[in-house]
Amino acid sequence: MMIPLLLLCIPLASAIVIWSFPAAFTGIFSKLFAGTQIISLLVIYVLHFYASTTTELQYDMMWFNAMGLHVSLLLSPLSMLFIILTSLVGSIIVLSIPATTSKHVYALVFFMLFALQGVFLAQDGLLFYIFWELALLPIYFIGLVWSDATRATLLKFFVYTVLGSLSMLLGLIYVYLHTDVAGAHAWNYNAMIQAAQALQPQQQYFVFWSIFLAFAIKLPLFPFHSWQPATYVEMPYYGTMLLSGIMLKMGVFGIIHWLFAMVPAAIPSVQQPVLILALIGILYASIIAIQQRDYKRLIAYASMAHVGVIVCGLFSAHVQGIQGALFQSVSHGLTVVGLLLVCDILEHRFGSQTISNLGGIRNTHPWFAVLFLCITMGAVALPLTSSFIGEFLIFNGLFSYSPLIMGLAGISVILGAVYMLRSYQGIMLGQHTANTTATIPKGHYILLTVVMALIILLGLFPKPINDLAASAATTLVHTLKPGI
Amino acid sequence: MNLLGYSLHQWVFGVLSFITIVFALMVVFSRNPVNSVLYLVLTFFGIAGHYLLLNAQFLAIVHIAVYAGAIMVLFLFVIMLMNLNADDEPQKTMSSKIIAGVLGGLLLFVIVGVLRQTAQILPQTQGAADIGLVKTLGMVLFNEFLFPFEIISILLLAALVGAIMIGKRETTESKL
Amino acid sequence: MIALFIIIGNGLLALLAEIFKFQKFIFNITFVLLLAALASNYWAWQHPQAFAPFSNMICFNMLELVLSSLLIAATILWLFIQRASHNHQTFGTDLSSLILFALAGGLLLTAFQNLTTLFIGVELLSIPLYVLAASHKNSADSHEAGFKYLILGAFASALLLFGIALLYGGAASFDINAIQAYLNAQANLPAFVKMGMLLLLIAFCFKVAIAPFHFWSPDVYEGAPMAITAFMSTVAKTASFYAFFKITMVCFNAPHTFWISMLMAFAVLSLILANTSALGQKHLKRLFAYSGISHSAFLLLIIIAQQKQALSVNALIMYTASYMLSGLGAFAILVKHGDVISDYAGFAKRNPTSAFSFSVCLLSMAGIPITAGFFSKYMVFVLLLSSSVSIWVSVIAIVAALIGIYYYIRLITQLYSKTAEEPQGPIQTDNNWIALLCAIALLVIGFFPQSLGGIFTF
Amino acid sequence: MSLGIAAYSTWWERKFAALLQDRWGPSRAGWFGLLQPVADGGKMLFKEEIIPNVANKFLFVLAPALFIITAIVAGVLIPWAPGLKAGSHWYVLQVTDVNVGVLFLLGVTSVGVYGIMIGGWASNNKYSLLGALRASAQMISYELAMGIALIALIISSGGSLSFSEIVAGQNEGVANIVWQPLGFIIFFICALAETNRAPFDLAECETELVGGYHTEYSSFKLGLFLFAEYINMFVSSAVMAGFYFGGYNFPFAQEFYAAMGWHYGDWQISLIGFGAYFTKTLIFITLFMWIRWSIPRFRYDQLMNLGWRTLLPLSLLNLALTVGIEYLRGHLHL
């Protein structure tokens, strides 16, 4: 009963406390609350195995009677997976924010974690939408007030995202109006799924595309990606971490939890176009990433490519593919946060994030080089890293759909290796060109170590996450099967 | 009394309407504002004539006394005091005239087209013979329509206060 | 009913203030009496009685009580905005009485049961505003605003009258229930009655500034003194809309709904025109004028959807409440800081609290959760999609909302932008508590949408 | 008839003025100068017509005609005498009876302003314009007080708006002046102003404006203007006599008729009634003239102040009083 609510309340309370106390307390509080986040995650992870009935993982309260709107939360395995991601990555992000930053930033980040967990827990259509939109505001304000992002970039980011959300709202309302619970419309997840599944094929396509647009923009999928690189580059790196580490996954979650569940019958016929879009995105992003000289921009395109692979996994509509996509979501969250941490160190300690300006850092900072290498390997999906398991499963699933597409998507692994290793080479090896006297703070070392440890740990011992992913994927494919 | 198939009443109505409309048009087309006002007075007389046709003598007289007799005199007064001439009037461009003409014509066309159909429809209420009498009017006004009648006094008061507000000199100006 | 009398009496009292020299207290008196009016509305809500006074000319039922309370509450907020504006050194007696009369007109517009009352309400609301729009003595713009408003308002009134006359020709009554009974009884409406209905609706489109009858609104808003613009764009527009809603929902509803297609065309046109025009505006007043047109169009969509009464009514209450709150909040800022957009660059550095309030108001206008504006837009969409209206109207509305979000967010971006020059002087802690109050109210309504959006369950 | 009366009013005016100023007045043409008006009229007719070049020709010609028409039309309402019965048919000794006669009177007088205004404006002469403006402002200002005084009169006289009924209503009871003394005074002053008579003749005051609104007029048109003024005076006198002083009734008329054995409809009653009415009217005309030659002209701001600040509140007070009294009368059956 209280578990999902607790998950929501902890970050929200953290945000409020940090915001209302003087700035002097911010440092302590943020560490404290990040710790609370992790501990509560562990507690809840354990609890969720021992929850005797599902009602203990549910929360339901009437909110807006006139519109049939509830505050309805459910901690399903799928949610658990994404909650783990949010809490882990979120805590890392909070801990990585420099202590000199305004307390408002901390508050906003915690608020964003609140909204993100809300997205992953919401079991009510409109509540999902509200959290979805709420997650946008903090990151927008962070970019607006505490970054060098130009107004044009932020506007583009915001308007693009909202375009998607509004279109999703249209689709959700459309489904809502077809629900019928005791003579009234309801936003309830099950009711909406039922209603949507009963729609005519034509209506299902409409619902699919209108909702998919939101997810496609968020991910971002190929033709809707133009907001992404500039936003990633211009945001402060913790903003970028939030965007790529967690926010992206809202799209993945949405596709699985809402889209697949609502319109399974429409999936087979949209599978191909989406896969093709994803493929184009993968290749396009990889090729552009190879040419990047700016490391952060490179990460942006790399992230796009990786997300493309995840989407491929999802739309393979195969148990393993979906399972892999879910696993890869967590894994990608970790690697991208690691890479961005490195990027932050490069920019603020070594003075540049342009690859050609750097070089030979390995000689002065060997431990940093090791950590960086491990994370890079994670990004390239080498065996023993978490990404390997994810990508392996994805390609497995994809192969069962179409070997050709799998082959094309497989190119991305090679291209990924090319740009990742080349950039590593450029930055860490070779001549001394960078600022060698730079010191890397202990905190960053610890965080990088933790990220590296997690990446390798998941590569060696994927069971906790994989079980969750597998159970989610199986239930999902079970619903998808009649359609496929 | 029939003439060409129309009753006298209809003839009077037709002639009055024609006159009224012609004068109303003259109000708009006349260059000289004084002439406009005078044509407007004549238009009011035409409308008062219509009231008489409807057996509403009270309204007819009040219409003349108030509109023609008081309000239009004030208009004339102001125009004469300000010495407005035809030259002061800004000239519209030809295109705006054409557009206005076309749009107005369309509206007229629609209204005429719609109202042509009403010829076949008998009026729903035949006005009582004493409908225009002061007494009848008073009874209606102070029973059924008491509320609007009273609220109109507030409306007039508001207009009055507004007129004074516009008209009065700003206190800060007098200090300068 | 009592509230109406209190307000009118208050207006008269304000006039007496000049004679008996208690101008100093008129603000306080007005404030207290308006609160009393609210209280009397609450009392009437608690003690519903089923009688229509004055031969059914006016009627304060549940809905009317709620709507009129919204208007009164907005006027109370507005009083503080007016006091904060440095336009007038004192709270002028003429100004306050005119505003109170206009408010009384607004109340009539919510409570009318008869087209005569409706017409008088429209006039009582408009005439004070014609004057007030022109009340900035030294400004030619203000005069132009007043004049334009007067001419076009008179035109709208003429259409309204013509429409009423034609309707009377058919129904032989001014009573809206009688007219409805007549319309229900008729299988085929005579063309002139249809014409009357359309003219009536067009007149209302004028009053609430729906394209293509919206041309006056940006000019009038721009020319009128700031506080007056605030009143016009919130209370006056909302009141007109209540009448619009009532006429369409009580009087013109089924079976003859031929007019919906016309309103739909107007709404779509407004959505497109207003939002595209708002994009290039340099002045906030003009921006808000266009955004107001777009909001009118959204409100119009409620009418077009013609859905279940409770939902429409709740949506109307929700939408107008959030619209008035956000508008008043925004104007509370504008009154102090002017309306040139470029002046607001880096505003957040100078006035963090004001910037926060302003942003919340703008977010609410844009319809971002978790402000009240979100739920109002959302309810409109629900209504629209659950109606038989083509889905393309919804799509256009979505696109329009998106464009709206674009310019609101651009404004917020401007507020928080990093200007080249450092903020002048220390951080001001200006007590713009009206704006803050509006912002907090918007958030609270957003958190508890049931409070306004669930009043009626028919 | 109005024309005739008006013509001889001029004669009487001059005679009366002469009397007051201790001189002869017109005495050459005819007995006591009785043919003088005819001579004047002829003179007017045969004089050269001058229409100024700068004038608006049409309006210039229209104005005097309009003025005199409205003046004459106002006279049609006056019920000169009790009706005459011939056989079974009643002949009403009134040109026409309108059931909203009082309003008609007000309406016609208010339209009468146009004659002056147009005349003054069309002359294109600043004296004329000023005169016209003064006249119209004055008429509008005083019309208000006059109208309100009349409302009070109508209330107290039984609620009819018809002229003949108002006059007939004073058959049995006392004349309205008893109930409406204040109203009469207001009405009288307003009537003076409405007819542009001294002391309110600022529209044509020679010392300031040469000739006022008719400065540019000559010959017959001037004649029409002057004539119309006298008709106005005559009509307003008749109206006052009818409204406030019982018209064709006189004290103890009923008893007198009964004593003589006459019934309404007999020619004797009509004749005597006419005589009574006419006498009253003449008395008022004389009063007008008396005032003209006794009281100096107002200043214009005084005139406006008197109208707006004295007469209007007074008339409102009168109205309130009347309503109160009538209410008491109705409830206490007095």
Side-chain angles (χ1 to χ4, degrees), chain A residues 108 133 136-146 149-152 154-159 162, chain C residues 278-279 281 284 287-288 326 330 333-334 340-371 401-419 439 442-443:
Chain A
L108 283 173
E133 285 279 87
L136 176 62
L137 287 180
I139 191 73
Y140 168 71
F141 276 100
I142 287 175
L144 192 54
V145 186
W146 291 280
T150 58
R151 280 152 58 180
L154 283 169
L155 260 181
K156 199 171 177 185
F157 163 56
F158 196 95
V159 172
V162 171
Chain C
L279 286 177
Q281 296 307 323
L284 281 174
L287 180 79
F288 282 131
S326 51
I333 306 280
L334 257 61
V340 184
I341 289 187
S342 53
D343 288 356
Y344 283 86
F347 183 71
K349 286 207 176 122
R350 279 169 283 147
N351 307 282
T353 322
S354 292
F356 168 74
S357 324
F358 201 8
S359 314
V360 173
C361 292
L362 289 171
L363 287 176
S364 176
M365 286 189 193
I368 303 288
I370 185 145
T371 55
L402 184 73
I403 302 173
I405 287 170
Y406 173 74
Y407 55 77
Y408 294 125
I409 293 301
R410 197 178 54 178
L411 193 51
I412 295 180
T413 316
Q414 176 94 345
L415 292 181
Y416 285 94
S417 71
K418 296 151 280 277
T419 41
L442 286 170
L443 289 175

Side-chain angles (χ1 to χ4, degrees), chain C residues 56-93:
Chain C
N56 201 19
M57 282 290 158
I58 187 166
C59 176
F60 278 92
N61 281 333
M62 295 309 200
L63 173 62
E64 285 82 358
L65 284 175
V66 174
L67 298 184
S68 59
S69 301
L70 285 179
L71 292 180
I72 297 170
T75 311
I76 292 177
L77 275 178
W78 178 85
L79 287 178
F80 290 96
I81 295 179
Q82 161 65 27
R83 194 164 71 162
S85 75
H86 36 73
N87 185 16
H88 292 267
Q89 53 279 67
T90 54
F91 199 72
T93 53

Side-chain angles (χ1 to χ4, degrees), chain C residues 191-262:
Chain C
F192 73 97
V193 174
K194 284 185 181 175
M195 183 86 191
M197 289 162 79
L198 292 184
L199 283 175
L200 206 68
L201 295 176
I202 288 175
F204 274 115
C205 288
F206 255 111
K207 287 286 175 193
V208 298
I210 289 283
F213 311 107
H214 67 287
F215 290 102
W216 57 273
S217 122
D219 291 347
V220 171
Y221 281 19
E222 194 184 16
M226 190 74 82
I228 304 304
T229 311
F231 190 84
M232 285 196 292
S233 67
T234 54
V235 181
K237 176 179 267 190
T238 305
S240 307
F241 207 89
Y242 288 158
F244 200 171
F245 182 81
K246 194 162 178 179
I247 270 288
T248 45
M249 283 308 193
V250 176
C251 204
F252 290 175
N253 54 3
H256 301 289
T257 50
F258 59 92
W259 44 270
I260 286 184
S261 47
M262 179 185 84

Side-chain angles (χ1 to χ4, degrees), chain B residues 14-127:
Chain B
V15 171
L16 260 181
S17 304
F18 180 75
I19 290 175
T20 311
I21 290 171
V22 166
F23 283 142
L25 287 177
M26 296 296 283
V27 173
V28 183
F29 291 131
S30 157
R31 275 288 160 79
N32 191 329
V34 172
N35 287 355
S36 278
V37 171
L38 294 176
Y39 283 122
L40 193 53
V41 172
L42 291 174
T43 313
F44 284 139
F45 272 100
I47 292 168
H50 280 109
Y51 281 130
L52 281 181
L53 275 184
L54 292 168
N55 206 8
Q57 295 139 349
F58 176 72
L59 276 183
I61 296 293
V62 167
H63 193 257
I64 288 182
V66 173
Y67 285 99
I71 293 177
M72 281 300 117
V73 173
L74 282 181
F75 268 48
L76 208 55
F77 198 89
V78 171
I79 289 170
M80 285 180 180
L81 268 184
M82 288 166 71
N83 205 10
L84 292 177
N85 289 320
D87 315 336
D88 300 341
E89 190 190 358
Q91 291 297 315
K92 302 274 183 299
T93 57
M94 202 58 205
S95 61
S96 70
K97 273 183 189 170
I98 291 172
I99 292 170
V102 169
L103 288 180
L106 275 177
L107 183 65
L108 183 73
F109 179 74
V110 171
I111 292 177
V112 167
V114 161
L115 293 184
R116 261 176 64 86
Q117 296 189 12
T118 59
Q120 293 114 34
I121 296 158
L122 283 173
Q124 300 260 339
T125 44
Q126 209 73 44

Side-chain angles (χ1 to χ4, degrees), chain A residues 223-297:
Chain A
F224 311 108
H225 67 282
S226 72
W227 61 270
Q228 190 227 29
T231 315
Y232 275 28
V233 171
E234 290 175 21
M235 279 277 178
Y237 66 93
Y238 49 87
T240 316
M241 283 181 191
L242 282 169
L243 277 172
S244 62
I246 318 177
M247 229 176 148
L248 272 184
K249 309 305 183 307
M250 283 161 59
V252 178
F253 174 82
I255 289 175
I256 296 176
H257 190 62
W258 291 95
L259 210 50
F260 278 3
M262 283 205 293
V263 284
I267 301 301
S269 39
V270 295
Q271 225 171 345
Q272 201 167 4
V274 173
L275 280 174
I276 288 170
L277 284 181
L279 262 187
I280 296 173
I282 292 169
L283 298 176
Y284 165 85
S286 302
I287 290 166
I288 292 187
I290 290 173
Q291 296 167 341
Q292 288 308 314
R293 337 203 71 215
D294 184 302
Y295 192 54
K296 209 174 178 188
R297 196 172 281 272

Side-chain angles (χ1 to χ4, degrees), chain B residues 32 34-35 37-38 41 45 57-58 61-62 64-74 76-81 83-85 132-135, chain D residues 56 59 62 98-100 102-108 110-111 113-114 117-118 120-122 129 132-134 136-138 140 143 158-159 161 300:
Chain B
N32 191 329
V34 172
N35 287 355
V37 171
L38 294 176
V41 172
F45 272 100
Q57 295 139 349
F58 176 72
I61 296 293
V62 167
I64 288 182
V66 173
Y67 285 99
I71 293 177
M72 281 300 117
V73 173
L74 282 181
L76 208 55
F77 198 89
V78 171
I79 289 170
M80 285 180 180
L81 268 184
N83 205 10
L84 292 177
N85 289 320
L133 291 190
V134 193
K135 215 167 248 170
Chain D
N56 184 325
L59 292 178
L62 178 74
V98 182
N99 61 11
V100 284
V102 176
L103 287 171
F104 184 81
L105 202 68
L106 282 179
V108 171
S110 55
V111 172
V113 190
Y114 285 106
M117 284 204 89
I118 294 171
W121 185 76
L129 183 63
L133 289 178
R134 280 181 169 191
S136 50
Q138 173 182 340
I140 287 176
E143 208 165 78
L161 283 176
Y300 197 70

Side-chain angles (χ1 to χ4, degrees), chain D residues 67-78 96 104-105 108 231 235:
Chain D
F67 196 36
I68 198 157
I69 288 170
T70 52
I72 293 171
V73 166
V76 301
L77 288 171
I78 298 165
T96 176
F104 184 81
L105 202 68
V108 171
I231 296 175
V235 170

